mmCIF file of all heavy atoms in Angstrom:
data_model
loop_
_atom_site.group_PDB
_atom_site.id
_atom_site.type_symbol
_atom_site.label_atom_id
_atom_site.label_comp_id
_atom_site.label_asym_id
_atom_site.label_seq_id
_atom_site.Cartn_x
_atom_site.Cartn_y
_atom_site.Cartn_z
ATOM 1 N N MET R 99 -26.854 19.150 23.554
ATOM 2 C CA MET R 99 -26.364 17.766 23.421
ATOM 3 C C MET R 99 -27.485 16.758 23.646
ATOM 4 O O MET R 99 -27.609 15.775 22.917
ATOM 5 C CB MET R 99 -25.222 17.506 24.405
ATOM 6 C CG MET R 99 -23.924 18.156 23.968
ATOM 7 S SD MET R 99 -22.644 17.942 25.192
ATOM 8 C CE MET R 99 -22.366 16.176 25.069
ATOM 9 N N HIS R 100 -28.299 17.011 24.675
ATOM 10 C CA HIS R 100 -29.430 16.106 24.921
ATOM 11 C C HIS R 100 -30.464 16.203 23.796
ATOM 12 O O HIS R 100 -31.070 15.208 23.413
ATOM 13 C CB HIS R 100 -30.072 16.415 26.276
ATOM 14 C CG HIS R 100 -29.223 16.007 27.439
ATOM 15 N ND1 HIS R 100 -29.436 14.845 28.140
ATOM 16 C CD2 HIS R 100 -28.147 16.605 28.005
ATOM 17 C CE1 HIS R 100 -28.526 14.751 29.105
ATOM 18 N NE2 HIS R 100 -27.744 15.799 29.046
ATOM 19 N N TYR R 101 -30.653 17.404 23.281
ATOM 20 C CA TYR R 101 -31.554 17.593 22.135
ATOM 21 C C TYR R 101 -31.085 16.743 20.950
ATOM 22 O O TYR R 101 -31.872 16.063 20.295
ATOM 23 C CB TYR R 101 -31.537 19.064 21.714
ATOM 24 C CG TYR R 101 -32.774 19.841 22.063
ATOM 25 C CD1 TYR R 101 -32.898 20.468 23.295
ATOM 26 C CD2 TYR R 101 -33.814 19.964 21.154
ATOM 27 C CE1 TYR R 101 -34.025 21.208 23.615
ATOM 28 C CE2 TYR R 101 -34.947 20.699 21.464
ATOM 29 C CZ TYR R 101 -35.048 21.311 22.692
ATOM 30 O OH TYR R 101 -36.166 22.037 23.003
ATOM 31 N N ALA R 102 -29.789 16.833 20.673
ATOM 32 C CA ALA R 102 -29.253 16.154 19.481
ATOM 33 C C ALA R 102 -29.373 14.640 19.613
ATOM 34 O O ALA R 102 -29.746 13.954 18.655
ATOM 35 C CB ALA R 102 -27.793 16.553 19.269
ATOM 36 N N SER R 103 -29.090 14.119 20.815
ATOM 37 C CA SER R 103 -29.165 12.666 20.959
ATOM 38 C C SER R 103 -30.627 12.213 20.989
ATOM 39 O O SER R 103 -30.973 11.202 20.382
ATOM 40 C CB SER R 103 -28.420 12.205 22.216
ATOM 41 O OG SER R 103 -28.955 12.819 23.378
ATOM 42 N N GLY R 104 -31.488 13.004 21.650
ATOM 43 C CA GLY R 104 -32.907 12.659 21.687
ATOM 44 C C GLY R 104 -33.545 12.760 20.310
ATOM 45 O O GLY R 104 -34.437 11.989 19.974
ATOM 46 N N GLY R 105 -33.070 13.702 19.507
ATOM 47 C CA GLY R 105 -33.589 13.853 18.144
ATOM 48 C C GLY R 105 -33.030 12.819 17.188
ATOM 49 O O GLY R 105 -33.488 12.710 16.063
ATOM 50 N N ARG R 106 -32.009 12.098 17.642
ATOM 51 C CA ARG R 106 -31.344 11.047 16.862
ATOM 52 C C ARG R 106 -30.648 11.635 15.637
ATOM 53 O O ARG R 106 -30.679 11.071 14.537
ATOM 54 C CB ARG R 106 -32.352 9.952 16.464
ATOM 55 C CG ARG R 106 -33.210 9.448 17.621
ATOM 56 C CD ARG R 106 -32.408 8.686 18.661
ATOM 57 N NE ARG R 106 -31.767 7.515 18.092
ATOM 58 C CZ ARG R 106 -32.362 6.341 17.950
ATOM 59 N NH1 ARG R 106 -33.595 6.187 18.373
ATOM 60 N NH2 ARG R 106 -31.727 5.313 17.427
ATOM 61 N N TYR R 107 -30.006 12.790 15.868
ATOM 62 C CA TYR R 107 -29.280 13.468 14.791
ATOM 63 C C TYR R 107 -27.798 13.093 14.870
ATOM 64 O O TYR R 107 -27.119 13.439 15.844
ATOM 65 C CB TYR R 107 -29.453 14.992 14.916
ATOM 66 C CG TYR R 107 -30.895 15.423 15.052
ATOM 67 C CD1 TYR R 107 -31.288 16.353 16.011
ATOM 68 C CD2 TYR R 107 -31.883 14.882 14.227
ATOM 69 C CE1 TYR R 107 -32.619 16.740 16.146
ATOM 70 C CE2 TYR R 107 -33.214 15.253 14.352
ATOM 71 C CZ TYR R 107 -33.576 16.184 15.320
ATOM 72 O OH TYR R 107 -34.890 16.557 15.462
ATOM 73 N N PRO R 108 -27.276 12.409 13.840
ATOM 74 C CA PRO R 108 -25.936 11.817 13.934
ATOM 75 C C PRO R 108 -24.802 12.812 13.675
ATOM 76 O O PRO R 108 -23.977 12.647 12.769
ATOM 77 C CB PRO R 108 -25.976 10.717 12.869
ATOM 78 C CG PRO R 108 -26.928 11.229 11.843
ATOM 79 C CD PRO R 108 -27.961 12.029 12.586
ATOM 80 N N ILE R 109 -24.730 13.830 14.491
ATOM 81 C CA ILE R 109 -23.677 14.845 14.395
ATOM 82 C C ILE R 109 -22.371 14.241 14.908
ATOM 83 O O ILE R 109 -22.385 13.455 15.855
ATOM 84 C CB ILE R 109 -24.069 16.061 15.267
ATOM 85 C CG1 ILE R 109 -25.397 16.648 14.788
ATOM 86 C CG2 ILE R 109 -22.954 17.107 15.301
ATOM 87 C CD1 ILE R 109 -26.125 17.428 15.873
ATOM 88 N N VAL R 110 -21.269 14.605 14.292
ATOM 89 C CA VAL R 110 -19.970 14.205 14.836
ATOM 90 C C VAL R 110 -19.304 15.446 15.424
ATOM 91 O O VAL R 110 -19.296 16.515 14.807
ATOM 92 C CB VAL R 110 -19.080 13.539 13.763
ATOM 93 C CG1 VAL R 110 -17.651 13.353 14.284
ATOM 94 C CG2 VAL R 110 -19.679 12.188 13.367
ATOM 95 N N MET R 111 -18.793 15.282 16.629
ATOM 96 C CA MET R 111 -18.134 16.385 17.332
ATOM 97 C C MET R 111 -16.763 15.943 17.783
ATOM 98 O O MET R 111 -16.589 14.828 18.267
ATOM 99 C CB MET R 111 -18.963 16.787 18.553
ATOM 100 C CG MET R 111 -18.190 17.557 19.606
ATOM 101 S SD MET R 111 -19.222 18.644 20.550
ATOM 102 C CE MET R 111 -20.178 17.509 21.530
ATOM 103 N N MET R 112 -15.776 16.828 17.593
ATOM 104 C CA MET R 112 -14.481 16.600 18.220
ATOM 105 C C MET R 112 -14.467 17.346 19.539
ATOM 106 O O MET R 112 -14.873 18.503 19.592
ATOM 107 C CB MET R 112 -13.356 17.119 17.350
ATOM 108 C CG MET R 112 -11.985 16.870 17.959
ATOM 109 S SD MET R 112 -10.716 17.922 17.240
ATOM 110 C CE MET R 112 -10.448 19.084 18.569
ATOM 111 N N ASN R 113 -14.012 16.688 20.595
ATOM 112 C CA ASN R 113 -13.824 17.393 21.859
ATOM 113 C C ASN R 113 -12.366 17.280 22.261
ATOM 114 O O ASN R 113 -11.829 16.178 22.358
ATOM 115 C CB ASN R 113 -14.725 16.798 22.951
ATOM 116 C CG ASN R 113 -14.557 17.523 24.270
ATOM 117 O OD1 ASN R 113 -14.690 18.748 24.331
ATOM 118 N ND2 ASN R 113 -14.224 16.802 25.317
ATOM 119 N N ALA R 114 -11.728 18.429 22.445
ATOM 120 C CA ALA R 114 -10.355 18.440 22.953
ATOM 121 C C ALA R 114 -10.450 18.419 24.471
ATOM 122 O O ALA R 114 -10.877 19.401 25.076
ATOM 123 C CB ALA R 114 -9.630 19.689 22.463
ATOM 124 N N ASN R 115 -10.105 17.293 25.066
ATOM 125 C CA ASN R 115 -10.287 17.147 26.525
ATOM 126 C C ASN R 115 -9.468 18.180 27.283
ATOM 127 O O ASN R 115 -8.260 18.259 27.137
ATOM 128 C CB ASN R 115 -9.876 15.746 26.971
ATOM 129 C CG ASN R 115 -10.938 14.720 26.696
ATOM 130 O OD1 ASN R 115 -10.702 13.733 25.996
ATOM 131 N ND2 ASN R 115 -12.143 14.945 27.215
ATOM 132 N N ARG R 116 -10.189 18.944 28.104
ATOM 133 C CA ARG R 116 -9.552 20.012 28.860
ATOM 134 C C ARG R 116 -10.255 20.136 30.202
ATOM 135 O O ARG R 116 -11.458 19.898 30.311
ATOM 136 C CB ARG R 116 -9.676 21.320 28.061
ATOM 137 C CG ARG R 116 -9.209 22.543 28.783
ATOM 138 C CD ARG R 116 -9.464 23.806 27.958
ATOM 139 N NE ARG R 116 -9.970 24.854 28.838
ATOM 140 C CZ ARG R 116 -10.273 26.091 28.452
ATOM 141 N NH1 ARG R 116 -10.123 26.447 27.184
ATOM 142 N NH2 ARG R 116 -10.719 26.965 29.311
#
Side-chain angles (χ1 to χ4, degrees):
Chain R
M99 285 176 68
H100 289 260
Y101 253 88
S103 58
R106 311 293 300 275
Y107 309 134
I109 300 156
V110 170
M111 160 152 71
M112 181 199 106
N113 181 54
N115 281 122
R116 173 184 138 179

